Amino acid sequence: LSSNQSISNNTHTKVQFDTERFDTDNCYDNSTNYRFTPTVAGKYYIFAIVEVGLGASEIQFVQASIYKNGSQYKQQQQDHRNNNGLEFSVPIDSILTLNGSTDYVEIYAKGFTTGSNPNIISTVQATSFGAYRIGS
């Protein structure tokens, strides 16, 4: 992310990864749909880490999700309702079979706070996404 992304409290929101380090096959759309659509069929390792925070001790719950073709495929969460914090990172990964033409992958995040709407934190150490083919 080039800057923090504001999200609605307790709502699944697509992470708008708008900066690329490298994309050898031009499979990631970093300006419109924010999705990975590989052009070669196969098994892909998908990974992400999402950090959600407010800058105040109000974050209680953070969830990261991998979506395939618009539906939630896998989720990972951290629940800190008894130990609120400033920011929480949630890593997620999975191996998906993608057809190389119409299948796509997106990353979503959700944060729950007792205060105002949370942010997805933009530093690359906090929030990042990647994918690569591991086989046919």
Side-chain angles (χ1 to χ4, degrees):
L1 299 175
S2 60
S3 62
N4 289 352
Q5 179 183 340
S6 180
I7 60 176
S8 295
N9 194 32
N10 206 28
T11 303
H12 288 278
T13 305
K14 186 189 312 187
V15 182
Q16 297 177 353
F17 293 101
D18 60 351
T19 303
E20 289 181 298
R21 290 224 172 149
F22 60 92
D23 183 358
T24 58
D25 293 328
N26 199 29
C27 294
Y28 183 74
D29 176 356
N30 70 330
S31 61
T32 308
N33 293 317
Y34 307 103
R35 63 175 61 156
F36 173 70
T37 310
T39 55
V40 176
K43 295 191 183 314
Y44 284 81
Y45 179 65
I46 309 296
F47 59 97
I49 187 166
V50 177
E51 185 169 318
V52 176
L54 267 177
S57 302
E58 298 173 348
I59 297 292
Q60 294 187 350
F61 176 88
V62 175
Q63 183 179 80
S65 299
I66 295 173
Y67 275 57
K68 178 181 177 184
N69 299 331
S71 296
Q72 188 178 62
Y73 181 82
K74 183 177 181 181
Q75 72 175 6
Q76 185 70 27
Q77 61 195 28
Q78 288 190 23
D79 188 334
H80 295 276
R81 281 177 253 217
N82 294 321
N83 186 22
N84 297 350
L86 300 174
E87 299 172 346
F88 292 110
S89 295
V90 177
I92 189 166
D93 66 341
S94 191
I95 295 173
L96 282 77
T97 300
L98 303 173
N99 65 15
S101 58
T102 58
D103 286 342
Y104 62 90
V105 175
E106 302 161 306
I107 304 298
Y108 277 69
K110 177 180 174 179
F112 176 72
T113 72
T114 57
S116 57
N117 290 336
N119 291 310
I120 300 171
I121 307 302
S122 64
T123 62
V124 71
Q125 298 88 349
T127 302
S128 60
F129 166 67
Y132 57 88
R133 190 165 65 92
I134 58 173
S136 304

Short mmCIF file of all heavy atoms in Angstrom, two decimals, residues 47-105:
data_model
loop_
_atom_site.label_atom_id
_atom_site.label_comp_id
_atom_site.label_asym_id
_atom_site.label_seq_id
_atom_site.Cartn_x
_atom_site.Cartn_y
_atom_site.Cartn_z
N PHE A 47 0.27 -15.76 -0.48
CA PHE A 47 0.60 -15.36 0.88
C PHE A 47 0.37 -13.87 1.07
O PHE A 47 0.48 -13.08 0.13
CB PHE A 47 2.04 -15.73 1.23
CG PHE A 47 3.07 -15.09 0.35
CD1 PHE A 47 3.72 -13.92 0.73
CD2 PHE A 47 3.39 -15.66 -0.88
CE1 PHE A 47 4.67 -13.33 -0.09
CE2 PHE A 47 4.35 -15.08 -1.70
CZ PHE A 47 4.99 -13.91 -1.30
N ALA A 48 0.03 -13.51 2.30
CA ALA A 48 -0.18 -12.10 2.62
C ALA A 48 -0.02 -11.91 4.12
O ALA A 48 -0.13 -12.86 4.90
CB ALA A 48 -1.57 -11.64 2.19
N ILE A 49 0.25 -10.69 4.48
CA ILE A 49 0.18 -10.27 5.88
C ILE A 49 -0.53 -8.93 5.87
O ILE A 49 -0.26 -8.07 5.02
CB ILE A 49 1.56 -10.20 6.57
CG1 ILE A 49 1.38 -9.92 8.05
CG2 ILE A 49 2.49 -9.20 5.88
CD1 ILE A 49 2.61 -10.17 8.88
N VAL A 50 -1.46 -8.78 6.79
CA VAL A 50 -2.25 -7.55 6.86
C VAL A 50 -2.17 -7.03 8.29
O VAL A 50 -2.41 -7.77 9.24
CB VAL A 50 -3.72 -7.81 6.47
CG1 VAL A 50 -4.54 -6.55 6.63
CG2 VAL A 50 -3.81 -8.35 5.05
N GLU A 51 -1.82 -5.77 8.42
CA GLU A 51 -1.79 -5.13 9.75
C GLU A 51 -2.89 -4.09 9.82
O GLU A 51 -3.01 -3.24 8.94
CB GLU A 51 -0.44 -4.49 10.01
CG GLU A 51 -0.33 -3.93 11.41
CD GLU A 51 1.08 -3.52 11.77
OE1 GLU A 51 2.02 -4.26 11.43
OE2 GLU A 51 1.24 -2.47 12.41
N VAL A 52 -3.68 -4.18 10.86
CA VAL A 52 -4.78 -3.24 11.08
C VAL A 52 -4.52 -2.52 12.39
O VAL A 52 -4.12 -3.12 13.38
CB VAL A 52 -6.14 -3.97 11.11
CG1 VAL A 52 -7.27 -3.01 11.42
CG2 VAL A 52 -6.40 -4.66 9.77
N GLY A 53 -4.73 -1.20 12.37
CA GLY A 53 -4.49 -0.43 13.58
C GLY A 53 -5.24 0.88 13.59
O GLY A 53 -5.87 1.27 12.60
N LEU A 54 -5.17 1.55 14.71
CA LEU A 54 -5.81 2.85 14.91
C LEU A 54 -4.87 3.91 15.45
O LEU A 54 -5.13 5.08 15.34
CB LEU A 54 -6.96 2.72 15.91
CG LEU A 54 -8.34 2.46 15.39
CD1 LEU A 54 -9.31 2.31 16.55
CD2 LEU A 54 -8.81 3.55 14.48
N GLY A 55 -3.80 3.46 16.08
CA GLY A 55 -2.95 4.40 16.79
C GLY A 55 -3.45 4.64 18.21
O GLY A 55 -2.99 5.50 18.92
N ALA A 56 -4.44 3.86 18.61
CA ALA A 56 -4.96 3.91 19.98
C ALA A 56 -5.23 2.48 20.43
O ALA A 56 -5.34 1.59 19.61
CB ALA A 56 -6.24 4.74 20.03
N SER A 57 -5.35 2.26 21.70
CA SER A 57 -5.52 0.91 22.25
C SER A 57 -6.96 0.43 22.10
O SER A 57 -7.64 0.16 23.07
CB SER A 57 -5.13 0.88 23.72
OG SER A 57 -3.83 1.29 23.88
N GLU A 58 -7.42 0.31 20.87
CA GLU A 58 -8.82 -0.05 20.67
C GLU A 58 -9.02 -1.22 19.72
O GLU A 58 -10.14 -1.65 19.52
CB GLU A 58 -9.58 1.16 20.12
CG GLU A 58 -9.58 2.33 21.09
CD GLU A 58 -10.18 3.58 20.49
OE1 GLU A 58 -10.39 3.63 19.27
OE2 GLU A 58 -10.42 4.52 21.23
N ILE A 59 -7.98 -1.75 19.09
CA ILE A 59 -8.13 -2.87 18.17
C ILE A 59 -8.40 -4.12 18.99
O ILE A 59 -7.65 -4.47 19.89
CB ILE A 59 -6.88 -3.07 17.30
CG1 ILE A 59 -6.65 -1.85 16.41
CG2 ILE A 59 -6.99 -4.34 16.46
CD1 ILE A 59 -7.68 -1.65 15.34
N GLN A 60 -9.48 -4.81 18.68
CA GLN A 60 -9.84 -6.01 19.42
C GLN A 60 -9.78 -7.27 18.56
O GLN A 60 -9.53 -8.35 19.08
CB GLN A 60 -11.25 -5.87 19.98
CG GLN A 60 -11.33 -4.79 21.03
CD GLN A 60 -12.69 -4.77 21.69
OE1 GLN A 60 -13.63 -5.42 21.27
NE2 GLN A 60 -12.80 -4.00 22.76
N PHE A 61 -10.01 -7.14 17.28
CA PHE A 61 -10.13 -8.31 16.42
C PHE A 61 -9.66 -7.93 15.02
O PHE A 61 -10.05 -6.89 14.50
CB PHE A 61 -11.60 -8.73 16.38
CG PHE A 61 -11.92 -9.85 15.46
CD1 PHE A 61 -11.84 -11.16 15.89
CD2 PHE A 61 -12.33 -9.61 14.16
CE1 PHE A 61 -12.16 -12.21 15.05
CE2 PHE A 61 -12.65 -10.65 13.31
CZ PHE A 61 -12.56 -11.96 13.76
N VAL A 62 -8.79 -8.78 14.42
CA VAL A 62 -8.31 -8.54 13.06
C VAL A 62 -8.41 -9.85 12.28
O VAL A 62 -8.07 -10.92 12.81
CB VAL A 62 -6.85 -8.02 13.04
CG1 VAL A 62 -6.33 -7.90 11.63
CG2 VAL A 62 -6.75 -6.69 13.76
N GLN A 63 -8.86 -9.75 11.06
CA GLN A 63 -9.00 -10.93 10.21
C GLN A 63 -8.43 -10.63 8.82
O GLN A 63 -8.63 -9.55 8.29
CB GLN A 63 -10.48 -11.29 10.07
CG GLN A 63 -10.75 -12.54 9.27
CD GLN A 63 -12.23 -12.82 9.21
OE1 GLN A 63 -12.94 -12.21 8.42
NE2 GLN A 63 -12.70 -13.72 10.06
N ALA A 64 -7.69 -11.59 8.27
CA ALA A 64 -7.21 -11.53 6.89
C ALA A 64 -7.84 -12.69 6.14
O ALA A 64 -7.98 -13.79 6.70
CB ALA A 64 -5.70 -11.62 6.84
N SER A 65 -8.23 -12.47 4.90
CA SER A 65 -8.89 -13.51 4.11
C SER A 65 -8.32 -13.55 2.70
O SER A 65 -8.03 -12.51 2.12
CB SER A 65 -10.39 -13.26 4.01
OG SER A 65 -11.00 -13.29 5.27
N ILE A 66 -8.22 -14.75 2.17
CA ILE A 66 -7.92 -14.96 0.76
C ILE A 66 -9.25 -15.24 0.07
O ILE A 66 -10.01 -16.12 0.52
CB ILE A 66 -6.95 -16.14 0.55
CG1 ILE A 66 -5.59 -15.83 1.17
CG2 ILE A 66 -6.82 -16.47 -0.93
CD1 ILE A 66 -4.63 -17.01 1.16
N TYR A 67 -9.54 -14.49 -0.96
CA TYR A 67 -10.74 -14.70 -1.75
C TYR A 67 -10.34 -15.25 -3.11
O TYR A 67 -9.38 -14.77 -3.72
CB TYR A 67 -11.48 -13.38 -1.97
CG TYR A 67 -12.43 -12.99 -0.86
CD1 TYR A 67 -11.99 -12.85 0.45
CD2 TYR A 67 -13.77 -12.74 -1.12
CE1 TYR A 67 -12.85 -12.47 1.46
CE2 TYR A 67 -14.64 -12.36 -0.11
CZ TYR A 67 -14.18 -12.23 1.17
OH TYR A 67 -15.04 -11.85 2.17
N LYS A 68 -11.06 -16.26 -3.58
CA LYS A 68 -10.86 -16.80 -4.92
C LYS A 68 -12.15 -16.58 -5.70
O LYS A 68 -13.22 -17.00 -5.26
CB LYS A 68 -10.53 -18.30 -4.87
CG LYS A 68 -10.35 -18.92 -6.24
CD LYS A 68 -10.05 -20.40 -6.15
CE LYS A 68 -9.95 -21.01 -7.55
NZ LYS A 68 -9.75 -22.47 -7.50
N ASN A 69 -12.03 -15.89 -6.82
CA ASN A 69 -13.18 -15.61 -7.69
C ASN A 69 -14.34 -14.96 -6.95
O ASN A 69 -15.50 -15.28 -7.17
CB ASN A 69 -13.64 -16.89 -8.40
CG ASN A 69 -12.56 -17.48 -9.27
OD1 ASN A 69 -11.71 -16.76 -9.79
ND2 ASN A 69 -12.58 -18.79 -9.44
N GLY A 70 -14.02 -14.06 -6.03
CA GLY A 70 -15.04 -13.29 -5.33
C GLY A 70 -15.63 -13.92 -4.09
O GLY A 70 -16.49 -13.32 -3.44
N SER A 71 -15.18 -15.13 -3.74
CA SER A 71 -15.70 -15.81 -2.54
C SER A 71 -14.56 -16.09 -1.57
O SER A 71 -13.45 -16.43 -1.99
CB SER A 71 -16.37 -17.13 -2.92
OG SER A 71 -17.49 -16.90 -3.73
N GLN A 72 -14.88 -16.01 -0.30
CA GLN A 72 -13.86 -16.27 0.71
C GLN A 72 -13.41 -17.72 0.62
O GLN A 72 -14.22 -18.64 0.65
CB GLN A 72 -14.40 -15.96 2.10
CG GLN A 72 -13.35 -16.02 3.19
CD GLN A 72 -13.92 -15.68 4.54
OE1 GLN A 72 -14.80 -16.37 5.03
NE2 GLN A 72 -13.44 -14.60 5.12
N TYR A 73 -12.09 -17.91 0.50
CA TYR A 73 -11.50 -19.24 0.38
C TYR A 73 -10.90 -19.68 1.72
O TYR A 73 -11.03 -20.82 2.10
CB TYR A 73 -10.43 -19.23 -0.71
CG TYR A 73 -9.77 -20.57 -0.94
CD1 TYR A 73 -10.37 -21.53 -1.73
CD2 TYR A 73 -8.55 -20.87 -0.34
CE1 TYR A 73 -9.77 -22.76 -1.93
CE2 TYR A 73 -7.95 -22.10 -0.53
CZ TYR A 73 -8.56 -23.04 -1.33
OH TYR A 73 -7.97 -24.26 -1.52
N LYS A 74 -10.23 -18.75 2.39
CA LYS A 74 -9.58 -19.06 3.66
C LYS A 74 -9.50 -17.79 4.49
O LYS A 74 -9.35 -16.69 3.94
CB LYS A 74 -8.17 -19.61 3.41
CG LYS A 74 -7.45 -20.04 4.67
CD LYS A 74 -6.09 -20.64 4.36
CE LYS A 74 -5.39 -21.09 5.62
NZ LYS A 74 -4.07 -21.65 5.34
N GLN A 75 -9.58 -17.95 5.80
CA GLN A 75 -9.43 -16.79 6.69
C GLN A 75 -8.52 -17.14 7.85
O GLN A 75 -8.41 -18.30 8.24
CB GLN A 75 -10.77 -16.31 7.21
CG GLN A 75 -11.40 -17.23 8.23
CD GLN A 75 -12.68 -16.66 8.81
OE1 GLN A 75 -13.17 -15.63 8.40
NE2 GLN A 75 -13.23 -17.34 9.80
N GLN A 76 -7.89 -16.13 8.37
CA GLN A 76 -7.05 -16.25 9.56
C GLN A 76 -7.37 -15.04 10.43
O GLN A 76 -7.56 -13.94 9.91
CB GLN A 76 -5.58 -16.26 9.17
CG GLN A 76 -4.61 -16.50 10.30
CD GLN A 76 -4.67 -17.93 10.81
OE1 GLN A 76 -5.03 -18.84 10.09
NE2 GLN A 76 -4.35 -18.11 12.06
N GLN A 77 -7.41 -15.22 11.73
CA GLN A 77 -7.79 -14.10 12.58
C GLN A 77 -7.02 -14.11 13.89
O GLN A 77 -6.48 -15.12 14.31
CB GLN A 77 -9.28 -14.13 12.86
CG GLN A 77 -9.75 -15.38 13.58
CD GLN A 77 -11.25 -15.55 13.51
OE1 GLN A 77 -11.90 -15.11 12.59
NE2 GLN A 77 -11.80 -16.21 14.51
N GLN A 78 -7.01 -12.94 14.50
CA GLN A 78 -6.49 -12.77 15.85
C GLN A 78 -7.56 -12.05 16.65
O GLN A 78 -8.07 -11.02 16.24
CB GLN A 78 -5.20 -11.95 15.86
CG GLN A 78 -4.02 -12.69 15.31
CD GLN A 78 -2.74 -11.93 15.57
OE1 GLN A 78 -2.64 -11.10 16.48
NE2 GLN A 78 -1.74 -12.21 14.77
N ASP A 79 -7.88 -12.63 17.79
CA ASP A 79 -8.91 -12.07 18.65
C ASP A 79 -8.24 -11.60 19.94
O ASP A 79 -7.68 -12.40 20.67
CB ASP A 79 -9.96 -13.14 18.95
CG ASP A 79 -11.17 -12.59 19.68
OD1 ASP A 79 -11.05 -11.57 20.38
OD2 ASP A 79 -12.24 -13.19 19.53
N HIS A 80 -8.31 -10.30 20.19
CA HIS A 80 -7.65 -9.72 21.35
C HIS A 80 -8.66 -8.92 22.19
O HIS A 80 -8.33 -7.88 22.75
CB HIS A 80 -6.50 -8.80 20.92
CG HIS A 80 -5.40 -9.54 20.25
ND1 HIS A 80 -4.41 -10.17 20.92
CD2 HIS A 80 -5.16 -9.76 18.93
CE1 HIS A 80 -3.59 -10.75 20.07
NE2 HIS A 80 -4.03 -10.52 18.86
N ARG A 81 -9.86 -9.42 22.29
CA ARG A 81 -10.89 -8.66 23.00
C ARG A 81 -10.58 -8.46 24.47
O ARG A 81 -11.09 -7.54 25.09
CB ARG A 81 -12.24 -9.33 22.83
CG ARG A 81 -12.85 -9.00 21.49
CD ARG A 81 -14.12 -9.72 21.31
NE ARG A 81 -13.88 -10.78 20.36
CZ ARG A 81 -14.74 -11.15 19.45
NH1 ARG A 81 -15.92 -10.60 19.39
NH2 ARG A 81 -14.44 -12.11 18.62
N ASN A 82 -9.74 -9.30 25.04
CA ASN A 82 -9.37 -9.13 26.45
C ASN A 82 -8.01 -8.47 26.60
O ASN A 82 -7.51 -8.33 27.70
CB ASN A 82 -9.38 -10.49 27.16
CG ASN A 82 -10.76 -11.07 27.23
OD1 ASN A 82 -11.73 -10.34 27.45
ND2 ASN A 82 -10.87 -12.36 26.99
N ASN A 83 -7.40 -8.09 25.48
CA ASN A 83 -6.07 -7.48 25.51
C ASN A 83 -5.93 -6.54 24.32
O ASN A 83 -5.18 -6.80 23.40
CB ASN A 83 -5.00 -8.58 25.48
CG ASN A 83 -3.61 -8.03 25.65
OD1 ASN A 83 -3.44 -6.95 26.18
ND2 ASN A 83 -2.63 -8.76 25.18
N ASN A 84 -6.69 -5.46 24.32
CA ASN A 84 -6.69 -4.52 23.19
C ASN A 84 -5.28 -4.05 22.87
O ASN A 84 -4.42 -3.99 23.74
CB ASN A 84 -7.55 -3.30 23.52
CG ASN A 84 -9.00 -3.66 23.73
OD1 ASN A 84 -9.42 -4.77 23.47
ND2 ASN A 84 -9.76 -2.70 24.21
N GLY A 85 -5.06 -3.69 21.62
CA GLY A 85 -3.75 -3.24 21.22
C GLY A 85 -3.81 -2.11 20.22
O GLY A 85 -4.87 -1.73 19.73
N LEU A 86 -2.62 -1.60 19.90
CA LEU A 86 -2.51 -0.51 18.93
C LEU A 86 -2.70 -1.01 17.51
O LEU A 86 -3.40 -0.42 16.71
CB LEU A 86 -1.13 0.16 19.05
CG LEU A 86 -0.79 0.77 20.40
CD1 LEU A 86 0.63 1.26 20.41
CD2 LEU A 86 -1.75 1.89 20.72
N GLU A 87 -2.01 -2.12 17.17
CA GLU A 87 -2.05 -2.68 15.83
C GLU A 87 -1.83 -4.18 15.94
O GLU A 87 -1.10 -4.64 16.81
CB GLU A 87 -0.95 -2.09 14.94
CG GLU A 87 -1.07 -0.60 14.76
CD GLU A 87 0.13 0.00 14.05
OE1 GLU A 87 1.18 -0.67 13.94
OE2 GLU A 87 0.02 1.15 13.62
N PHE A 88 -2.44 -4.93 15.04
CA PHE A 88 -2.23 -6.37 14.99
C PHE A 88 -2.02 -6.80 13.55
O PHE A 88 -2.74 -6.36 12.66
CB PHE A 88 -3.42 -7.14 15.59
CG PHE A 88 -3.56 -6.96 17.07
CD1 PHE A 88 -4.60 -6.22 17.59
CD2 PHE A 88 -2.64 -7.52 17.94
CE1 PHE A 88 -4.74 -6.06 18.95
CE2 PHE A 88 -2.78 -7.36 19.31
CZ PHE A 88 -3.82 -6.62 19.82
N SER A 89 -1.05 -7.69 13.35
CA SER A 89 -0.78 -8.27 12.03
C SER A 89 -1.31 -9.69 11.98
O SER A 89 -1.18 -10.44 12.95
CB SER A 89 0.73 -8.31 11.76
OG SER A 89 1.24 -7.02 11.68
N VAL A 90 -1.89 -10.03 10.85
CA VAL A 90 -2.40 -11.38 10.64
C VAL A 90 -1.80 -11.92 9.35
O VAL A 90 -2.05 -11.38 8.28
CB VAL A 90 -3.93 -11.40 10.57
CG1 VAL A 90 -4.44 -12.81 10.28
CG2 VAL A 90 -4.54 -10.86 11.84
N PRO A 91 -1.00 -12.99 9.44
CA PRO A 91 -0.47 -13.63 8.23
C PRO A 91 -1.47 -14.68 7.73
O PRO A 91 -2.22 -15.26 8.51
CB PRO A 91 0.82 -14.29 8.72
CG PRO A 91 0.55 -14.60 10.15
CD PRO A 91 -0.39 -13.51 10.65
N ILE A 92 -1.45 -14.90 6.43
CA ILE A 92 -2.31 -15.92 5.83
C ILE A 92 -1.62 -16.46 4.59
O ILE A 92 -0.92 -15.71 3.89
CB ILE A 92 -3.72 -15.36 5.51
CG1 ILE A 92 -4.66 -16.49 5.10
CG2 ILE A 92 -3.66 -14.25 4.47
CD1 ILE A 92 -6.12 -16.09 5.11
N ASP A 93 -1.80 -17.76 4.34
CA ASP A 93 -1.26 -18.35 3.12
C ASP A 93 -2.07 -19.57 2.74
O ASP A 93 -2.82 -20.12 3.56
CB ASP A 93 0.22 -18.70 3.26
CG ASP A 93 0.49 -19.80 4.26
OD1 ASP A 93 -0.37 -20.08 5.12
OD2 ASP A 93 1.56 -20.40 4.19
N SER A 94 -1.95 -19.97 1.48
CA SER A 94 -2.66 -21.15 1.01
C SER A 94 -2.12 -21.54 -0.35
O SER A 94 -1.48 -20.72 -1.04
CB SER A 94 -4.16 -20.85 0.90
OG SER A 94 -4.88 -22.05 0.70
N ILE A 95 -2.36 -22.77 -0.74
CA ILE A 95 -2.06 -23.23 -2.09
C ILE A 95 -3.39 -23.37 -2.82
O ILE A 95 -4.30 -24.06 -2.34
CB ILE A 95 -1.29 -24.56 -2.06
CG1 ILE A 95 0.07 -24.35 -1.41
CG2 ILE A 95 -1.15 -25.13 -3.48
CD1 ILE A 95 0.86 -25.62 -1.17
N LEU A 96 -3.51 -22.71 -3.96
CA LEU A 96 -4.73 -22.74 -4.75
C LEU A 96 -4.44 -23.23 -6.16
O LEU A 96 -3.38 -22.93 -6.72
CB LEU A 96 -5.35 -21.34 -4.87
CG LEU A 96 -6.13 -20.78 -3.70
CD1 LEU A 96 -5.21 -20.31 -2.61
CD2 LEU A 96 -7.01 -19.66 -4.17
N THR A 97 -5.38 -23.95 -6.74
CA THR A 97 -5.30 -24.32 -8.14
C THR A 97 -6.04 -23.25 -8.93
O THR A 97 -7.22 -22.98 -8.66
CB THR A 97 -5.94 -25.71 -8.38
OG1 THR A 97 -5.24 -26.67 -7.59
CG2 THR A 97 -5.87 -26.09 -9.85
N LEU A 98 -5.33 -22.62 -9.87
CA LEU A 98 -5.90 -21.54 -10.67
C LEU A 98 -5.81 -21.92 -12.14
O LEU A 98 -4.81 -22.48 -12.59
CB LEU A 98 -5.17 -20.23 -10.39
CG LEU A 98 -5.18 -19.80 -8.91
CD1 LEU A 98 -4.29 -18.58 -8.69
CD2 LEU A 98 -6.59 -19.51 -8.44
N ASN A 99 -6.85 -21.58 -12.93
CA ASN A 99 -6.95 -22.08 -14.30
C ASN A 99 -6.12 -21.31 -15.33
O ASN A 99 -6.05 -21.71 -16.49
CB ASN A 99 -8.41 -22.16 -14.74
CG ASN A 99 -9.09 -20.80 -14.83
OD1 ASN A 99 -8.45 -19.75 -14.85
ND2 ASN A 99 -10.41 -20.82 -14.87
N GLY A 100 -5.51 -20.20 -14.95
CA GLY A 100 -4.65 -19.47 -15.88
C GLY A 100 -5.39 -18.57 -16.85
O GLY A 100 -4.79 -18.01 -17.77
N SER A 101 -6.70 -18.41 -16.65
CA SER A 101 -7.45 -17.51 -17.55
C SER A 101 -8.46 -16.66 -16.79
O SER A 101 -8.39 -15.44 -16.83
CB SER A 101 -8.13 -18.32 -18.66
OG SER A 101 -8.99 -19.30 -18.11
N THR A 102 -9.38 -17.29 -16.07
CA THR A 102 -10.43 -16.51 -15.41
C THR A 102 -10.35 -16.51 -13.89
O THR A 102 -10.97 -15.66 -13.25
CB THR A 102 -11.83 -17.03 -15.82
OG1 THR A 102 -11.92 -18.41 -15.46
CG2 THR A 102 -12.06 -16.86 -17.32
N ASP A 103 -9.63 -17.44 -13.29
CA ASP A 103 -9.51 -17.46 -11.83
C ASP A 103 -8.69 -16.27 -11.35
O ASP A 103 -7.70 -15.89 -11.97
CB ASP A 103 -8.83 -18.74 -11.35
CG ASP A 103 -9.73 -19.96 -11.44
OD1 ASP A 103 -10.96 -19.81 -11.53
OD2 ASP A 103 -9.18 -21.09 -11.42
N TYR A 104 -9.12 -15.69 -10.23
CA TYR A 104 -8.37 -14.58 -9.64
C TYR A 104 -8.40 -14.66 -8.12
O TYR A 104 -9.25 -15.33 -7.54
CB TYR A 104 -8.91 -13.23 -10.13
CG TYR A 104 -10.35 -12.94 -9.76
CD1 TYR A 104 -10.66 -12.29 -8.56
CD2 TYR A 104 -11.40 -13.33 -10.59
CE1 TYR A 104 -11.97 -12.02 -8.21
CE2 TYR A 104 -12.71 -13.07 -10.25
CZ TYR A 104 -12.99 -12.41 -9.08
OH TYR A 104 -14.29 -12.14 -8.72
N VAL A 105 -7.43 -13.97 -7.52
CA VAL A 105 -7.27 -13.99 -6.07
C VAL A 105 -7.20 -12.55 -5.56
O VAL A 105 -6.56 -11.70 -6.17
CB VAL A 105 -5.98 -14.74 -5.68
CG1 VAL A 105 -5.73 -14.67 -4.19
CG2 VAL A 105 -6.05 -16.19 -6.15
#
